[in-house]
Amino acid sequence: NIWYALRETGLLKYASSGWTIINTSNSGICSNYIRDIAFDKNNLLWCIYNYSSAGLSSFDGTTWTCYNTSNSNITSNSMHCIALEGDSVVWCANMFTGGINKFNTTTYLWTNYTTANSPIKSDGINAIFIDNDNTKYFSTTNGFSFFRYIYS
């Protein structure tokens, strides 16, 4: 399958049967305002949303699970970037405020990193990258930061 995030229309999925649009009118997807998507090693689809109250969601092929400020410790409902670490950790962040959110999908624990409790240079995050050694790199609105080992 091939998946595309459609910023205001939901998801576009291509399978052998053809193209399908997945949105709030025909599925349990949390919002049509999808910023980015990623698949983890367990083939779970992760979506981040902007301009909505959706935050982060996962899709196992049948069920959508939504994480937002009302039902989790995510710091914002409008996310800008996502990165996956191993088979059980999701990193996501907002470009303007809120810092970095780390979600352990095995323990269901959230950890939030801001300028107050970590070495990041700004709470506004533009991009997240995780290398093969699991070092996390963050492009912030005030410079470049990285986490190695202690924050894994």
Side-chain angles (χ1 to χ4, degrees), residues 72-115:
S72 73
N73 286 331
I74 197 169
T75 57
S76 173
N77 289 327
S78 184
M79 291 288 111
H80 184 72
C81 51
I82 185 169
L84 304 176
E85 177 184 6
D87 57 0
S88 63
V89 178
V90 178
W91 295 81
C92 59
N94 180 287
M95 187 168 63
F96 303 108
T97 62
I100 302 160
N101 301 275
K102 174 186 171 186
F103 179 51
N104 185 312
T105 63
T106 303
T107 62
Y108 295 97
L109 292 176
W110 289 86
T111 307
N112 306 114
Y113 300 103
T114 65
T115 54

Side-chain angles (χ1 to χ4, degrees), residues 3 12 15-16 18 20 28 40 42-43 45 49 51 53 67 70-71 76 79 94 104 107 123-124 127 129 145-146 149:
W3 295 76
L12 182 63
S16 59
T20 304
D40 68 17
N42 298 314
N43 210 30
L45 171 65
Y49 303 88
Y51 310 117
S53 59
Y67 304 95
S70 299
N71 66 11
S76 173
M79 291 288 111
N94 180 287
N104 185 312
T107 62
D123 288 338
F129 175 75
S145 301
F146 70 93
Y149 311 118

Side-chain angles (χ1 to χ4, degrees), residues 12-147:
L12 182 63
K13 175 186 172 185
Y14 179 77
S16 59
S17 58
W19 293 96
T20 304
I21 292 178
I22 300 166
N23 57 37
T24 55
S25 355
N26 63 13
S27 74
I29 196 169
C30 306
S31 170
N32 291 332
Y33 292 89
I34 299 172
R35 171 77 183 169
D36 202 2
I37 61 175
F39 280 91
D40 68 17
K41 291 182 179 179
N42 298 314
N43 210 30
L44 203 62
L45 171 65
W46 291 93
C47 299
I48 56 169
Y49 303 88
N50 58 0
Y51 310 117
S52 73
S53 59
L56 170 74
S57 70
S58 64
F59 180 61
D60 64 7
T62 305
T63 304
W64 288 94
T65 304
C66 303
Y67 304 95
N68 56 48
T69 56
S70 299
N71 66 11
S72 73
N73 286 331
I74 197 169
T75 57
S76 173
N77 289 327
S78 184
M79 291 288 111
H80 184 72
C81 51
I82 185 169
L84 304 176
E85 177 184 6
D87 57 0
S88 63
V89 178
V90 178
W91 295 81
C92 59
N94 180 287
M95 187 168 63
F96 303 108
T97 62
I100 302 160
N101 301 275
K102 174 186 171 186
F103 179 51
N104 185 312
T105 63
T106 303
T107 62
Y108 295 97
L109 292 176
W110 289 86
T111 307
N112 306 114
Y113 300 103
T114 65
T115 54
N117 68 357
S118 75
I120 61 171
K121 298 188 180 293
S122 169
D123 288 338
I125 309 299
N126 298 315
I128 303 170
F129 175 75
I130 302 172
D131 71 15
N132 291 335
D133 294 326
N134 283 333
T135 301
K136 290 82 177 159
Y137 299 89
F138 305 97
S139 169
T140 77
T141 55
N142 197 31
F144 180 77
S145 301
F146 70 93
F147 291 174

